[in-house]
Every structure is written in structure tokens, then in C-alpha cells.
Amino acid sequence: MNNSQYIPLKPIDGLDSLDATVTLVVNGLIKGERAEGDLNGVVTMNGTRSKVTVSGSLLGEIAAQIGGQLVGLFVPAAVDLYKVPEGAYVVINGLFAMCIKPDTPKAIAALDELSPQSLLAMLTSTDVAYGEMVGEEMVNGRQVRHYVIDGDTFLSAARASSDPKLRAFGEGLWSAEDADLYVDAQGEYPVAFRGAYGGAYEPLKFQGMFQVQIALTAVNANTPVVLPPSCSDPISM
């Protein structure tokens, strides 16, 4: 893209609170098995407390990574990841709510990767934040600048990144389509992102074609994050 320029961005981690949605649509293989479907995340972050609710047709794959044999016999309706000062908790919602307190961060790594903070930190890193501004518009009631990030430029920059996570992501891809990035005109933080890629996505043990959509639905709304009653006596795992 001949008119690409550096996109001034501030990380959304700097916001006091946010609400957001994340969608992954995939078509390929998970652990060598045919997989086509979606994962949908609804995210609330308020200071040191956060909640991510994940649902969708591929939820069973994520739940099995957390609950193992405990959830191997059913597909939950949704999985909630809570992060509070007391630690991390996972609530698996099926016929009844089962609260798990993971012993290690590795157990919740896949859910962590679905957060808008994690995805936007990688997909809009300073190493790859170059694009062409194509206009200004309104998104969720906010004035934003609309940028298009050239897919080939993103691939080259990601593979050369000094960030090991971003570099590994780029090296696992074989294609990247042009992505749409919407940046708040005043706060300069990402408001929405849409991109499509071909290759491997390690958190899902996936290989194939996948789309990523992220949208901030509220900023500094201070939505409360409260642990459910089932987490008063969680299962350690």
C-alpha cells in the first residue's frame, strides 16, 4: 500500500473500564479434525476486575482445554473467565454452573487469547500499525478514523517483529487480507477491528482460514464484575 502511514495508537489497557465483543469465525482443522464454526466473546473490564463470556459452536474445544474430563461428556452453553484480585476463576455453564480455580495460567491461556486486549495488542502492535486512512465516520456513537492495513505489509512486518508472540503469529500465517481498523479520533485507542487470515492460530490448535472481529461497545461505563455464588467453593484444577 503506497499511502501507508504509521497509525498513532494508545493501548486499550490504558482505559479505566471497557465493554467489548470479540468474534472468531474459522474453517479448517483443530487438532487435525475438521472444524467450521465460531467463537464469540463478550468482555467487561473494570479496573483490576474482568470477565470474558465465551460461547459459540466451537466452545467445546476451549472448555475441554480447561476442564478436561470434567467437561468431556457435554458441550457447555457458555464459559466465563473471571480475573479478580483473588485470582482467576472459570465458570463452565451447562446443566449447572461449575466453578474452577485453575492452578496454573496455562489452563486459561486459550481464553486469555480471546480478550480484546490480547488480540488488539498483537494485531495493532507498533511493529504492524501501518495503514492508509480512508475516512472518518461514526462507530458506536464515537467519531473514528478508518484505516486499512495492507495484508502483505502486515505479514512482512509481523514476521520481522521483535515481539516473539507477534513474530510467531506471522510465521504461522500463509496469507492476510487487508484489515479494517477504526481508531477513536480523540482518545486514539482502537474502537473496532476486522481482519481475515490463513494459517495457524495456536491458542485454538487451529489451521485454516479464520476471521477476527473486535468492537468496543462501551468505554468507562464501569460495568460491575462480580464472582457468581458457585465460586465460593471452586474446584481446584
Side-chain angles (χ1 to χ4, degrees):
M1 184 177 294
N2 294 331
N3 296 320
S4 290
Q5 58 180 304
Y6 176 71
I7 304 171
L9 282 172
K10 295 178 181 177
I12 62 174
D13 285 342
L15 298 173
D16 292 332
S17 72
L18 64 85
D19 298 273
T21 60
V22 177
T23 300
L24 290 179
V25 180
V26 308
N27 187 353
L29 302 173
I30 293 180
K31 296 181 180 178
E33 298 291 332
R34 187 77 177 86
E36 182 176 2
D38 63 349
L39 282 171
N40 304 290
V42 178
V43 182
T44 295
M45 184 275 288
N46 190 347
T48 59
R49 309 176 73 89
S50 66
K51 175 187 177 184
V52 181
T53 298
V54 182
S55 60
S57 60
L58 299 178
L59 180 60
E61 297 292 338
I62 296 292
Q65 293 182 41
I66 301 164
Q69 294 181 351
L70 284 176
V71 296
L73 299 179
F74 69 94
V75 177
V79 171
D80 300 323
L81 169 62
Y82 290 87
K83 285 190 173 182
V84 294
E86 300 86 355
Y89 297 81
V90 178
V91 178
I92 298 177
N93 300 289
L95 296 176
F96 57 91
M98 178 172 60
C99 183
I100 298 171
K101 195 173 192 311
D103 292 332
T104 66
K106 184 178 180 181
I108 59 172
L111 284 175
D112 264 339
E113 295 298 332
L114 291 175
S115 73
Q117 296 96 321
S118 178
L119 285 169
L120 285 173
M122 181 174 67
L123 297 173
T124 65
S125 159
T126 54
D127 288 347
V128 294
Y130 291 87
E132 178 181 354
M133 193 174 89
V134 295
E136 294 196 5
E137 51 197 90
M138 298 293 291
V139 173
N140 291 332
R142 289 185 290 273
Q143 187 76 25
V144 301
R145 302 187 184 101
H146 180 187
Y147 293 89
V148 174
I149 299 174
D150 179 76
D152 290 337
T153 301
F154 173 88
L155 267 183
S156 298
R159 290 167 178 167
S161 174
S162 59
D163 178 357
K165 179 179 173 181
L166 176 56
R167 185 170 65 251
F169 178 71
E171 290 173 347
L173 298 179
W174 59 66
S175 67
E177 296 183 12
D178 293 352
D180 294 290
L181 172 64
Y182 301 84
V183 179
D184 186 272
Q186 292 187 332
E188 294 188 338
Y189 53 82
V191 169
F193 179 92
R194 293 195 302 264
Y197 309 91
Y201 186 58
E202 177 59 24
L204 289 181
K205 310 300 181 188
F206 171 79
Q207 188 171 40
M209 307 301 296
F210 60 100
Q211 301 172 25
V212 180
Q213 299 181 33
I214 306 164
L216 269 61
T217 55
V219 173
N220 295 333
N222 294 314
T223 305
V225 176
V226 180
L227 283 174
S230 60
C231 289
S232 61
D233 186 21
I235 300 169
S236 295
M237 184 173 295

